[in-house]
Amino acid sequence: MKVFNNLSNRIYPVRESINNNLSNGMKEELKNIKEKILAEIKKINLPEEFYDLEKKYLGRKGEFTKLTKSIKDLTQEQKPIIGKLANEIKIELEEVFSNLKGNIEEGFDDLKNRINFDATIQSKKKEVGHLHPNTIIQNEVVDIFSSMGFMVLDGPELESEYYNFETLNVLSTHPARDMQDTYFIKTDKNFKKSEKLVLRTHTSAMQVRAIEEFGAPLRAIFPGKCFRNEATDASHDNTFYQLEGLMIDKNISISNLVAVMSTLLAEIFKKDVKTRLRPGYFPFVEPGFELDINCLICGGKGCSVCGDGWVELIPCGLVHPQVIKNGGLDPQEYSGFAFGMGLTRLVMMRYGINDIRLLQSGDLRFTKQF
Ligand code: FA5
């Protein structure tokens, strides 16, 4: 018995040292495999290689997974210690893989630059977009008119010649057709002349559509995109935004027009802006005016945007009786005013933008400033 006891006493420490060696070896192996994985991530060139690597080590039959399975062979004392270490390394690796996966989804090109072995690395923040300056100002103007009881209508950008020109007293033989260099759309020869299509040159194309649809009394604005075949410069683009306004009721006069325009300018600029009203010719208003504002870019000295210190901003006038008639109302009973504000130019004035072409350039260095 004594001998046996001795043997047993001797055996125990031997087993313990085997187990100690085993657990120390495991510790080393776990640390080595972690270093190996992180080193291999560094060499990745393609997204597929990243996914292969993840499978090779962390997959069900992966090397790291296999290693952790052998923890069960350790003693009861060693199991929790090594198990804890293995778990910590696993969490760390999973976090590194998960963050890099985020980077991969955003663009692999940048992956290598952003590989970082800090397990707390965050994937690149998603950039949140924001409103274009045109939309910001359009929303402000829409709010101002909504508060005055105007409804907001949308209209087609591909418009018939009928609504774009003819309902507005601009017949095909009328010299005013030359005022707006138009993109005509090729249509089938079976198209009736009145159905021929153009990219709308102005939001006035909505005037008769709105009267037809809603009758009177009517207070509506129509913001939207317009197109003209322009030789572009600092203040003219081939695609730009206007915001049209139309009010039809009994006894509408120039005083109503001036009151609405003054409210608009005071609200939009929130400071005193010099304005001037001069006669303007448009076949669909009588009388017609041009409301100009003193250029806010050069302070009225004259620049590439305004030329002479004044910016043509809001052409307007009293609706021509024929237009009211074209909409199906009696011009003896109803009158109205209309205006067609150059929304893009308003944006330029508000933000001090000295070239209209920047607004549609798609250049993020420009749009990110707003
Ligand atoms: C018109 O388009 C008329 N429909 C406006 C109108 C409506 C008059 C209702 C009377 C009653 P005009 O071509 O001037 O008018 O253009 C109106 C505004 O749009 C101009 O004052 C200007 O601010 C803007 N605009 C015109 N062409 C361009 C362009 N190529 N680029 C940028 N803005 C432009």
Side-chain angles (χ1 to χ4, degrees), residues 188-295:
D188 194 270
K189 62 176 181 307
N190 297 325
F191 257 65
K192 280 193 229 145
K193 188 147 181 41
S194 59
E195 287 172 349
K196 287 239 166 109
L197 299 176
V198 296
L199 287 183
R200 72 172 171 198
T201 55
H202 54 176
T203 41
S204 301
M206 275 296 289
Q207 285 191 16
V208 167
R209 282 184 181 278
I211 304 172
E212 281 176 347
E213 180 79 22
F214 297 100
L218 176 67
R219 274 186 232 185
I221 53 168
F222 334 120
K225 217 186 256 182
C226 304
F227 311 84
R228 292 187 197 173
N229 183 23
E230 299 274 12
T232 65
D233 59 28
S235 58
H236 293 85
D237 209 343
N238 50 27
T239 305
F240 56 97
Y241 287 78
Q242 286 187 345
L243 189 143
E244 187 96 0
L246 179 67
M247 185 165 179
I248 308 273
D249 208 337
K250 292 181 175 159
N251 303 317
I252 296 290
S253 69
I254 293 175
S255 314
N256 299 102
L257 170 65
V258 171
V260 170
M261 292 297 99
S262 311
T263 309
L264 169 68
L265 293 174
E267 291 280 324
I268 205 79
F269 289 111
K270 300 201 167 49
K271 61 175 178 182
D272 274 345
V273 181
K274 261 200 220 161
T275 55
R276 72 175 184 190
L277 197 65
R278 59 191 167 92
Y281 173 69
F282 301 93
F284 38 94
V285 284
E286 182 56 43
F289 307 100
E290 289 279 5
L291 193 151
D292 302 333
I293 65 164
N294 207 227
C295 181

